[in-house]
Amino acid sequence: MPVSEEILINVTPRETRVAVVENGMLQEVQIERTARRGYVGNIYKGRVQRVMPGMQAAFVDIGLSRSAFLHASDITRSMPEAVTLNADEAMVVPPTPSISELLHEGQAVVVQVLKDPIGSKGARLTTQLSIPSRCLVLLPYTHVLGVSARIEDELERDRLKALVAAHAGDSPMGYIVRTNADGQGEDVLAQDLAYLERLWQQIRGAISTADVGQCIYEDLSLPLRAVRDLMRLGVDKVRVDSRETFDKVLAFTRQFMPDWVDRLEHYPGERPIFDLYGIDDEIERALKREVPLKSGGSLVLDQTEAMTTVDVNTGSFLGQRNLEETVYRTNLEAAQAVARQLRLRNLGGIIIIDFIDMMDVEHRRQVLRTLEKSLLRDHAKTTVYDFSVLGLVEMTRKRTTESLERQLCEPCPTCSGRGKVRSVDTITYEIFREITRAVRQFDASRLLVMAAPVVVNKILDEESAAVAELEEFLGKSIRFQADEQYLQEQYDVVLL
């Protein structure tokens, strides 16, 4: 079944959102806010703050609130043998020298952001600069010529490589041919090469005059990035609900992708474009922990600091034949749903999928194949491993920005992100201990305890005998006062 794909761009004064819809179903959401734009792709002139030999890394000040992280393996080395690429061989990289040999504190260094700050971690940097265009990526410090692995046709790969090599000539710079170049003519590639060379000359000039902490090159805004990176043969329409943004996208497309101009459309409707497609409802569902499956089963996704886990449950699906068949059908549906959820929620890093146990080896193979096939449309790099001895599937997905949940949500102020609060019983007995501690430490004739109404009611109704015993034991009068402003875990013991 052919895939019908649309890109929707919703623009408001402080926020821009891009949605990728395939066959009427939301697959991907990207968000950029004016007050907090991403940094991935930006080039900065930084200064080394600390060199950490034990970590083989350095912390670099690039003008952000937190120091950024630069690993030794991400530093370009000026040795001629650093990177070589033979005709039919993979890239050969020698052992990484000690970080102390490559950098010293106070040194100015030109770096590019690989990953935005995520959680408590600063941005991840590299000195191996890469500058993308529509069809190519320029590697100014690496003399290689590569083609995206997603272009699988060998004749097409050879054709693209030959065209780029012919136009690049004896340039010392390297190029990667992007997936978008598939099927493109010589004039398109030549135009991209000329654009990248002009841009690199501008960047080189800015590097020589920039101050430490200054941004030398900033990647395109989200609408233009979306058109550059997401526009492909399967895209039927790009709809933009802002006239100003539409004009910018139109000018960009006319310059770099003139054949695609007729796919752009300004949406003037009064009803918000995301409402028209039910995008906001889908985003709301993507923030929930549980995802229902059509069969009656479900996925449960938990994102932690170290990894994301996905648990598959059969739910009410009873199947047609037997238990093994039920499990197999549920896992097949779950494999497709997992691929969509990872892309929609922008979950990355290590991902562990706990499919329902299957005894049949062929069933396992088919489920794994379905997962891999469903991940093919994901632009992020993914690697899927076979079932482990515990029946788990381990995989990785490259992540450069925060997940959807972490972009749109913040930890609960009541539970601090734990997802649980201490029970009323637990808080009650904590209060009793705190009263005893306060009386022994300070001199007071009476005590006032202020707490949430649910806690005070519990104490006065069910624990009144315990309060009387405590007053007799301490020889003090204790009064309890409920306050609606107190959360369940909050309380104060006041000495009077």
Side-chain angles (χ1 to χ4, degrees), residues 388-451:
S388 71
V389 293
L390 296 177
L392 306 174
V393 172
E394 299 172 8
M395 65 170 287
T396 60
R397 182 176 185 272
K398 186 176 181 181
R399 175 179 61 190
T400 57
T401 58
E402 292 272 27
S403 68
L404 182 67
E405 180 186 69
R406 289 181 177 170
Q407 287 185 70
L408 300 181
C409 305
E410 62 184 21
C412 168
T414 301
C415 69
S416 302
R418 298 195 313 270
K420 295 179 174 61
V421 293
R422 295 196 295 278
S423 68
V424 174
D425 283 342
T426 301
I427 300 302
T428 297
Y429 302 138
E430 279 188 17
I431 290 174
F432 289 167
R433 288 195 298 273
E434 183 62 27
I435 290 172
T436 304
R437 188 181 300 115
V439 168
R440 290 174 176 172
Q441 190 172 357
F442 303 101
D443 184 26
S445 58
R446 292 178 297 126
L447 294 95
L448 170 65
V449 176
M450 302 180 68

Side-chain angles (χ1 to χ4, degrees), residues 190-450:
Q191 187 180 31
D192 266 27
L193 277 163
Y195 163 75
L196 287 172
E197 288 177 2
R198 289 196 306 270
L199 181 57
W200 174 240
Q201 292 305 318
Q202 294 176 7
I203 293 173
R204 284 183 64 184
I207 288 173
S208 61
T209 59
D211 296 324
V212 171
Q214 183 176 340
C215 181
I216 298 168
Y217 164 78
E218 188 172 13
D219 203 2
L220 299 172
S221 63
L222 178 58
L224 301 186
R225 287 203 314 273
V227 173
R228 181 191 71 191
D229 298 337
L230 301 177
M231 196 66 127
R232 47 183 172 247
L233 289 175
V235 175
D236 301 317
K237 193 71 68 178
V238 177
R239 309 185 76 183
V240 188
D241 66 3
S242 160
R243 169 56 69 176
E244 181 182 356
T245 302
F246 174 77
D247 290 341
K248 291 179 181 178
V249 170
L250 182 61
F252 178 83
T253 307
R254 280 176 174 161
Q255 181 178 359
F256 296 105
M257 297 166 280
D259 294 341
W260 301 74
V261 168
D262 61 341
R263 305 191 185 198
L264 300 182
E265 179 183 296
H266 174 241
Y267 172 75
E270 294 183 4
R271 187 181 178 189
I273 190 170
F274 271 30
D275 285 2
L276 197 66
Y277 288 77
I279 302 299
D280 286 318
D281 291 338
E282 286 287 344
I283 292 174
E284 184 66 28
R285 283 192 284 271
L287 298 176
K288 294 181 179 178
R289 182 170 175 253
E290 187 169 351
V291 179
L293 301 176
K294 291 181 180 178
S295 64
S298 65
L299 306 179
V300 178
L301 297 96
D302 288 303
Q303 183 183 2
T304 68
E305 195 72 22
M307 67 182 70
T308 296
T309 61
V310 183
D311 186 35
V312 182
N313 298 315
T314 53
S316 60
F317 183 44
L318 301 177
Q320 302 296 324
R321 300 179 184 175
N322 52 44
L323 178 60
E324 179 68 20
E325 184 71 17
T326 299
V327 167
Y328 174 53
R329 296 297 176 190
T330 303
N331 282 340
L332 283 178
E333 185 187 359
Q336 298 177 57
V338 167
R340 175 177 178 253
Q341 290 298 324
L342 295 181
R343 184 179 172 192
L344 176 58
R345 298 171 186 239
N346 194 27
L347 297 169
I350 300 171
I351 298 158
I352 306 295
I353 308 170
D354 184 10
F355 287 106
I356 308 165
D357 291 340
M358 294 175 288
M359 304 302 295
D360 192 314
V361 175
E362 178 61 20
H363 284 176
R364 286 190 174 199
R365 192 181 70 80
Q366 289 296 337
V367 168
L368 205 63
R369 186 171 177 274
T370 300
L371 176 62
E372 292 170 337
K373 185 178 179 181
S374 301
L375 288 167
L376 287 179
R377 297 190 64 80
D378 192 343
H379 62 83
K381 182 180 178 182
T382 57
T383 304
V384 181
Y385 299 93
D386 204 348
F387 280 87
S388 71
V389 293
L390 296 177
L392 306 174
V393 172
E394 299 172 8
M395 65 170 287
T396 60
R397 182 176 185 272
K398 186 176 181 181
R399 175 179 61 190
T400 57
T401 58
E402 292 272 27
S403 68
L404 182 67
E405 180 186 69
R406 289 181 177 170
Q407 287 185 70
L408 300 181
C409 305
E410 62 184 21
C412 168
T414 301
C415 69
S416 302
R418 298 195 313 270
K420 295 179 174 61
V421 293
R422 295 196 295 278
S423 68
V424 174
D425 283 342
T426 301
I427 300 302
T428 297
Y429 302 138
E430 279 188 17
I431 290 174
F432 289 167
R433 288 195 298 273
E434 183 62 27
I435 290 172
T436 304
R437 188 181 300 115
V439 168
R440 290 174 176 172
Q441 190 172 357
F442 303 101
D443 184 26
S445 58
R446 292 178 297 126
L447 294 95
L448 170 65
V449 176
M450 302 180 68

Side-chain angles (χ1 to χ4, degrees), residues 134-164:
R134 165 67 182 159
C135 297
L136 301 171
V137 177
L138 172 65
L139 307 174
Y141 298 143
T142 308
H143 187 51
V144 300
L145 178 56
V147 181
S148 168
R150 295 198 173 190
I151 301 178
E152 298 179 352
D153 186 285
E154 284 299 329
L155 292 177
E156 179 65 4
R157 292 173 65 86
D158 292 342
R159 182 186 75 88
L160 293 170
K161 188 178 289 188
L163 286 175
V164 174

